[in-house]
Amino acid sequence: MEQTTAIARPISAEATHANLNRKFGMWLFLSSELLIFAGLIGAFILTRRNIFQNGQEWWEPNTFSLALVSINTFILLASSLMVVLGIEAIRADAQRKLQRYLVLTAILGAMFLGGQAIEYSLLIFEEGHSFADPFGTAFFTLTGIHGLHVLVGVIWCLITLLVARRGRFSSRNYTTVEIFGLYWHFVDLIWVIIFTVVYLTN
Amino acid sequence: MDHHHDQSPAHRRHTNPVLVFGILTIATLLEVAVTLFHLPKNVLVPILLAIAFVKAGLVAAYYMHLRYEHWVYTVIFVTPALFAVFLIFTLAV
């Protein structure tokens, strides 16, 4: 077991209860988020179908740099693995390991956002696509809102890292990390669907 | 709810997350590979969506630990998930 500087506080019954409530609330929040994304993905599919049927301006399927987006998908999947390994580390009271995994998660999340920024700049500045056309609106709304979720996740990860550096987590008190993990995995789960619907079935 | 295992390090043994990551990566590569075969849309789209939903299920079950959590969490999350799967599948296929 790693040497730690943990402020190991015994967890009270009230705190345990509060943690369970937070976790329950997080699952409810994620369920509502799931419905929001289902609506956005559904709207994207309908918009794409209408554009195709009406012969409106259409982004050719090869417009997207599939390689870049596939790498981004791999990056997000890898970041999820880092979170899982971080939670396993804190379950074993390995605080430094948890911090390392959180740093890696934040870096991978930032890399994903960087990849998305490159993709957007290619689409807008090199290929001349617009936010304003119907396909652009559907595409940028869906992928942009997801990107915003990743950004929130990266900030949340850094805050969790700061708390972890103060030695606040232990094998008996890691619900905060777990809740952050739920959010991060959810963002990953949604990307799995977006990747298929937006990029592979286009 | 009976949650006394939630804070305990002595959880049920979890599936190796690296193995799950490997499966997710292979499934992603498989998805990209399937698109190279230029299959008819009514064949390609259901195959791709099926792979994507399996991947999403793996993330929920093993990364979000839904498989090891109290059944209430599963009901909370799977109910809207089923609606989402139905909606996306119906619209896309």
Side-chain angles (χ1 to χ4, degrees):
Chain A
M1 200 180 289
E2 236 174 87
Q3 187 72 34
T4 67
T5 53
I7 307 166
R9 298 172 180 172
I11 187 157
S12 65
E14 288 84 10
T16 305
H17 232 73
N19 283 341
L20 289 175
N21 286 342
R22 286 164 63 206
K23 207 163 151 185
F24 185 73
M26 191 63 195
W27 278 106
L28 285 175
F29 169 70
L30 294 180
S31 299
S32 64
E33 285 270 279
L34 187 64
L35 290 174
I36 290 169
F37 274 105
L40 286 170
I41 293 169
F44 173 84
I45 296 168
L46 280 179
T47 307
R48 184 172 62 185
R49 185 190 291 169
N50 286 341
I51 291 167
F52 186 72
Q53 285 170 351
N54 300 334
Q56 288 174 290
E57 192 186 343
W58 170 256
W59 296 12
E60 289 297 322
N62 60 2
T63 301
F64 302 111
S65 170
L66 191 59
L68 174 67
V69 181
S70 300
I71 291 167
N72 245 5
T73 303
F74 177 79
I75 286 171
L76 210 55
L77 289 174
S79 71
S80 258
L81 176 65
M82 294 303 116
V83 175
V84 177
L85 293 176
I87 291 171
E88 284 196 354
I90 197 61
R91 277 185 180 145
D93 271 323
Q95 301 215 19
R96 296 235 173 93
K97 257 189 182 176
L98 167 69
Q99 291 168 28
R100 276 200 290 272
Y101 284 125
L102 287 175
V103 168
L104 287 170
T105 305
I107 290 171
L108 289 168
M111 282 171 68
F112 177 88
L113 290 172
Q116 200 167 38
I118 293 169
E119 184 203 6
Y120 278 15
S121 65
L122 286 173
L123 288 170
I124 296 166
F125 300 115
E126 296 224 344
E127 299 183 21
H129 292 300
S130 164
F131 289 97
D133 68 58
F135 190 84
T137 305
F139 172 80
F140 286 114
T141 303
L142 177 57
T143 58
I145 287 178
H146 179 269
L148 199 63
H149 278 73
V150 176
L151 179 64
V152 169
V154 170
I155 294 167
W156 191 347
C157 181
L158 292 173
I159 293 169
T160 310
L161 175 65
L162 285 177
V163 178
R165 284 178 67 86
R166 296 169 82 177
R168 293 294 170 88
F169 302 128
S170 69
S171 59
R172 293 185 54 78
N173 179 23
Y174 59 89
T175 308
T176 303
V177 187
E178 230 181 345
I179 288 172
F180 157 70
L182 285 176
Y183 176 83
W184 193 264
H185 298 313
F186 173 78
V187 170
D188 185 19
L189 183 153
I190 292 297
W191 182 254
V192 163
I193 306 297
I194 290 176
F195 174 66
T196 302
V197 170
V198 175
Y199 297 95
L200 298 182
T201 66
N202 193 32
Chain B
M1 268 189 273
D2 175 19
H3 275 300
H4 29 257
H5 294 296
D6 280 5
Q7 297 294 321
S8 163
H11 277 262
R12 278 166 62 186
R13 188 164 173 76
H14 290 188
T15 306
N16 186 350
V18 180
L19 176 70
V20 177
F21 173 71
I23 294 169
L24 290 170
T25 305
I26 290 167
T28 305
L29 292 173
L30 185 67
E31 274 186 303
V32 176
V34 165
T35 60
L36 302 176
F37 286 104
H38 301 291
L39 295 168
K41 189 173 172 274
N42 58 353
V43 177
L44 179 69
V45 174
I47 291 174
L48 289 174
L49 285 179
I51 297 172
F53 290 137
V54 168
K55 282 167 65 187
L58 284 174
V59 171
Y62 294 103
Y63 279 2
M64 297 171 89
H65 294 155
L66 212 49
R67 190 160 179 259
Y68 312 102
E69 290 283 7
H70 196 280
W71 62 268
V72 168
Y73 296 139
T74 307
V75 172
I76 288 172
F77 196 68
V78 169
T79 307
L82 288 175
F83 169 75
V85 168
F86 175 75
L87 179 78
I88 293 168
F89 207 86
T90 311
L91 292 174
V93 175

